Amino acid sequence: MTLTKKIVLLPGDGIGPEIVAEAVKVLEAVDAKYKLKLKFEQELIGGAAIDQHGVPLANTTLDKCRAADAVLMGSVGGPKWDTLDSSIRPEKGLLKIRYELGLFANLRPALLYPQLADASSLKRELVAGLDILIVRELTGGIYFGEPRGIRRLDNGERQGYNTYVYSEHEIERIGRVAFDMAMKRDKRVCSVDKANVLEATVLWREVMQSLSADYPEVELSHMYVDNAAMQLVRAPKQFDVIVTGNMFGDILSDTAAMLTGSIGMLPSASLGKDGRGLYEPVHGSAPDIAGQGIANPLATILSAAMMLRYSLGEAEAANAIEAAVGKVLDQGLRSADIYSDGMQRVSTVEMGDAVVAAL
Ligand code: NAD
């Protein structure tokens, strides 16, 4: 007997509702084909939740997310809520859900469909077929370490300070995510640290090294973060999975994202310890194009594919969605953000329909 898989949809603001609607259409199509038994429940987050409930994420919504197998989000924010007090801004809803669901692993694939290689700022031959997965630790490291602050020294000068701290269990759990991901890919993990300078990352390297004994099939390498930044723009295709701490991951994942050229194509996942996760496009709510029907829904559709693969164990259906996206690009269909001469410009809804047809 297949159990129903509960998915909470949080379309959010701006283009969020438009792009999530297309992802749902695609999920319904794979559900019909692969008998996945998906069950959707739609809730509010961000500005839409502020308008309705006075807060960016209601506790009842949070409870539904906790009880679900996965959460698929659009995006939050927009000028309408920019002047609100920072404690109830739309983005707080996103931070709250990440924190409350214990989402410690951020997965950011940098995958460049060969059809879009000219959109990259790097030469086509360096990036065509690029497929990297960056696994970033999301709830620890220097962004959360204590003590932190700005203090006044005895000589009257002010001093800013933060603490780069990682415990073994934090390193091990993010390491396991990376190794598990690598097992489903090309079986190579590159752990990025600064072990020549920072003791916290000496420990990081030691834990990654001992963890690798549990994954004999996976090739583990280590790289200093400065070299990793250089290699990402010199020869990015050398990487399969990159695992790193919060701050290094923040920077490297944005670098890797830009290798692909288009923000409308990039999905992401944030996972907790039981495999449950929050899936969302990397881009924001794009208020400048909201309501015009021209947003690219592919990042959200690809986020839905990640959800099937990582939280619902439906790799075949995930592969089918990714292949369908490739097919649609082969057909020359392009939303406005990835349009180039000679291609066929399509709307948000037409793009979603085309992916469904390609399935
Ligand atoms: P943005 O990503 O929303 O937009 C940047 C540019 O990319 C805009 O020109 C936009 O039109 C374009 N764009 C983005 N997604 C697109 C898509 N799917 N198809 C076509 N074009 C697309 O970033 P921004 O303008 O800096 O932020 C707008 C709002 O989104 C702000 O309120 C910000 O706080 C919020 N935001 C939310 C998230 C999130 O929900 N995770 C992330 C980033 C920004």
Side-chain angles (χ1 to χ4, degrees):
M1 190 186 72
T2 317
L3 293 174
T4 302
K5 298 178 174 85
K6 271 194 272 177
I7 299 165
V8 172
L9 303 170
L10 300 174
D13 310 317
I15 60 170
E18 300 168 47
I19 54 181
V20 168
E22 298 313 305
V24 170
K25 209 155 76 179
V26 171
L27 283 168
E28 283 170 342
V30 285
D31 191 8
K33 188 168 174 185
Y34 295 94
K35 310 280 177 281
L36 308 178
K37 299 207 171 170
L38 305 180
K39 188 167 169 268
F40 301 103
E41 221 173 334
Q42 187 154 314
E43 292 293 327
L44 300 172
I45 190 169
I50 294 172
D51 289 350
Q52 181 78 25
H53 305 299
V55 286
L57 183 72
N59 287 333
T60 48
T61 305
L62 193 55
D63 289 342
K64 284 180 184 164
C65 294
R66 281 203 188 94
D69 294 291
V71 178
L72 180 64
M73 206 189 84
S75 48
V76 296
K80 181 178 174 190
W81 304 281
D82 277 352
T83 50
L84 289 179
D85 184 80
S86 67
S87 62
I88 57 154
R89 288 275 292 273
E91 294 76 8
K92 287 281 177 203
L94 185 54
L95 294 179
K96 183 172 173 184
I97 196 170
R98 284 180 182 158
Y99 179 79
E100 293 290 336
L101 298 184
L103 306 175
F104 66 87
N106 186 224
L107 271 48
R108 290 265 299 257
L111 188 145
L112 181 60
Y113 283 89
Q115 301 90 328
L116 301 178
D118 291 329
S120 173
S121 46
L122 295 193
K123 284 186 224 126
R124 162 179 274 276
E125 61 270 23
L126 287 181
V127 291
L130 181 78
D131 183 3
I132 304 175
L133 178 65
I134 298 198
V135 178
R136 167 191 170 194
E137 203 288 326
L138 201 57
T139 54
I142 195 164
Y143 289 180
F144 292 91
E146 297 283 350
R148 60 193 296 158
I150 300 174
R151 60 192 161 203
R152 181 131 346 238
L153 301 177
D154 289 345
N155 65 6
E157 187 188 10
R158 289 189 309 152
Q159 183 183 58
Y161 58 102
N162 289 88
T163 306
Y164 194 129
V165 57
Y166 269 120
S167 303
E168 282 178 302
H169 80 274
E170 290 175 296
I171 305 170
E172 189 180 326
R173 69 180 180 179
I174 193 72
R176 282 204 185 280
V177 171
F179 279 101
D180 288 342
M181 294 295 154
M183 286 297 290
K184 297 173 191 164
R185 297 170 47 99
D186 201 34
K187 301 192 170 64
R188 290 181 294 123
V189 169
C190 178
S191 170
V192 170
D193 60 42
K194 190 72 182 169
N196 51 344
V197 178
L198 300 172
E199 284 80 359
T201 71
V202 172
L203 181 68
W204 177 282
R205 191 176 277 223
E206 280 175 20
V207 173
M208 288 295 166
Q209 196 58 47
S210 52
L211 193 56
S212 72
D214 291 353
Y215 297 86
E217 288 178 58
V218 178
E219 176 195 312
L220 172 68
S221 60
H222 304 276
M223 200 179 271
Y224 296 138
V225 63
D226 41 349
N227 188 24
M230 197 166 75
Q231 295 301 329
L232 266 177
V233 289
R234 192 189 72 86
K237 284 194 271 185
Q238 69 183 281
F239 296 108
D240 177 27
V241 175
I242 292 176
V243 63
T244 189
N246 206 342
M247 178 169 62
F248 298 160
D250 190 2
I251 299 163
L252 294 182
S253 63
D254 271 15
T255 308
M258 273 305 101
L259 299 177
T260 71
S262 173
I263 199 166
M265 295 294 301
L266 295 170
S268 80
S270 301
L271 302 181
K273 66 176 178 347
D274 52 6
R276 261 185 289 179
L278 172 80
Y279 298 82
E280 55 175 322
V282 165
H283 61 73
S285 59
D288 54 333
I289 58 165
Q292 297 178 28
I294 58 168
N296 185 351
L298 293 179
T300 316
I301 290 171
L302 292 169
S303 300
M306 288 185 85
M307 177 179 80
L308 291 173
R309 177 175 295 118
Y310 297 130
S311 283
L312 306 181
E314 299 289 353
E316 204 184 338
N319 292 339
I321 292 179
E322 286 160 0
V325 169
K327 213 165 154 185
V328 164
L329 296 175
D330 277 340
Q331 291 162 1
L333 304 189
R334 301 282 187 274
S335 48
D337 58 312
I338 51 173
Y339 178 78
S340 58
D341 284 347
M343 298 293 140
Q344 185 187 340
R345 197 189 290 260
V346 294
S347 69
T348 310
V349 171
E350 285 165 341
M351 188 63 105
D353 288 345
V355 175
V356 169
L359 277 165

